[in-house]
Structures are given as C-alpha cells and as structure tokens.
Amino acid sequence: EETAPSNPALPFAAGGATGLASVGSMSTGGGVSDPPPPPFASDPAGETEKRQKLKKTSWVFSAAYYQQFFDVDTDDVLARARHALLTPWRGGFQTLYDDTPDLYGPFWVCATLVFLIAMGGQYASYLSGDENKRASWNFDARDVATSAATTYGYAFIVPFVLYWVVRCFANVPTENRLSLIGLVCTYGYACVPFVPASLVSVTPSESIRVFAFVLATVAGGTFLVNNAARPLSKDAKGGVAFQTPFCGSVVGMHVLFGIVVKLWFFTHF
C-alpha cells in the first residue's frame, strides 16, 4: 500500500504572520522588530519645531509671522480666560501658553467689549431715561468708534509702551521673562472681567453698575500685577525702587481704563 507523500511543514504555518515575519528577518539576517507606530494626527513636538522655525524664518511684516499667534483652539482660549476671570490672584499665566502666546483671544475679547460697551451703554441710557427721553432717544453710532479706540488702544498700545520702558530704562531681558506678544496676550485677557461687568451694567441701577466695574477693575488689576508687572520688573536694575512705582503705574492705568469705560458709557442719571 502506497502512502501519499506528506508536504513539508512551512515555517510560518503555525506562527501565522509572526512566523512569516521571522522568515523575512532570517533572510536578511536580522532579528524580529516591531513595526514603527503610526504617526499621530497631532504631534506636539513637531508643532513646536514648526512654530520655532516659523519665528526664525518669517518676516515680521508678513502674514505668516502672525499666523502662529492665532493658532489656538477653544480649550486654550477658555483656560486662559478662566484664569484671568476666576483666579486673577494666581501667577504663572505664562505657563498656560508655554512660549506660544496668542493674539486670537485678546482680539475677540476686545471685539466683544467694543460691542457690549457701545450697545450696552446705549441701551442703559434708554432704560435710565423717563418716557420723554425714551421717546426722543436715538442710537449714537459714535460710541462704537470710541469704544473700539479705547479698548484696542489699551489692550495693544499700553503693553507696547511698558515693553519699551522696561527694555530701554530698566535693562530687563524681557525675552527671558515676558515677550512683547506675551505682554499683549496678558493685557488682552486682563480685560475679560469687564465682559460680565458690561452685561450687568445694562440694568438701570447705578449702584449695581459701580459695584460691577469695581469688581472687574480689581480682578483685572490683580491679574496684571501677578502676571505682568512683577515678572517684568523682577530683574530691573533699580530693584524695589523701580518695581514699586512700575507696579503702581500698571494698576493705575488699569483703574483709569475702568473709570473711563464706566463714566463715558455707563453713567446715566
């Protein structure tokens, strides 16, 4: 009786794909190695390298240079806004953006304030008037331009002046503490407390308006002292002699901004 010849066992029959991989590795003389992991859709290291390269190669007057300061998501903006609104006494705001300050949040915070100050102030004047004043009431479109100049001027021009002062007069290496864009970012988010204050100030009650703006001014001033004034003036050549008036100037300008917004737009008797 003849027996059918048996087929030789293949080396990858029992091991499946693993055995097949081992055969391939044996043919090349190497050992078995795991395949490289697939690239992630979001690579923080690669993104950081891209941003650093963009800062080095982009022209300061090109749109590509400023694109990096608008590359944030909603979670980043909300986290920074919560820090300024709910915990203004805490420092370390720079750790939230980790060398990547944004201009997206400050721009839209100021845009929201422009709308709320102009429209809310006009509506508050309507509610505060009697029947005769309401009958002759008209919207003053000049308040939009005035609120835009006040808000954007404070959030973007004042940080530039402070940056120039600490670089030229105090010899502070601000790139090691707080960059110009980082200072503008801090000032922009310092205006966040004025958003709910402007909403509350629509009510026809002068005491509520004053209380809301006092809280907003105190919160924003505290946030700026802990996250802008102290980090900037810490290494000033004048020491405490420069740091104390510098912090006082930062708080004073913020108080002046709150007073101007309150008296100009939300004072109606």
Side-chain angles (χ1 to χ4, degrees), residues 225-241:
V225 168
N226 292 324
N227 297 281
R230 288 179 179 174
L232 275 177
S233 59
K234 184 177 181 180
D235 296 330
K237 63 179 181 179
V240 179

Side-chain angles (χ1 to χ4, degrees), residues 27-122:
S27 62
T28 56
V32 180
S33 59
D34 296 333
F40 293 100
S42 176
D43 186 8
E47 188 68 21
T48 302
E49 183 180 356
K50 179 181 178 182
R51 290 177 180 176
Q52 292 177 351
K53 182 179 179 181
L54 187 63
K55 291 181 181 180
K56 294 179 181 179
T57 59
S58 299
W59 189 40
V60 68
F61 294 106
S62 64
Y65 177 79
Y66 295 95
Q67 181 181 2
Q68 59 190 322
F69 304 122
F70 291 84
D71 187 15
V72 290
D73 54 21
T74 305
D75 294 335
D76 295 333
V77 175
L78 291 179
R80 298 167 190 182
R82 282 195 299 266
H83 184 94
L85 180 63
L86 302 179
T87 57
W89 58 87
R90 293 183 179 178
F93 179 71
Q94 288 75 29
T95 59
L96 287 179
Y97 56 73
D98 192 20
D99 295 332
T100 56
D102 71 288
L103 297 178
Y104 180 86
F107 176 83
W108 284 109
V109 168
C110 293
T112 305
L113 270 181
V114 169
F115 174 78
L116 291 178
I117 290 173
M119 302 298 294
Q122 289 290 307

Side-chain angles (χ1 to χ4, degrees), residues 165-229:
V165 168
V166 297
R167 286 298 301 270
C168 297
F169 293 97
N171 294 333
V172 176
T174 52
E175 62 272 5
N176 298 331
R177 290 290 177 184
L178 194 62
S179 64
L180 176 59
I181 300 299
L183 188 59
V184 173
C185 177
T186 305
Y187 259 81
Y189 284 102
C191 295
V192 170
F194 288 105
V195 172
S198 301
L199 287 173
V200 174
S201 297
V202 175
T203 59
S205 175
E206 191 64 21
S207 59
I208 294 179
R209 295 170 185 168
V210 172
F211 180 73
F213 270 90
V214 167
L215 284 182
T217 304
V218 170
T222 304
F223 176 76
L224 286 177
V225 168
N226 292 324
N227 297 281

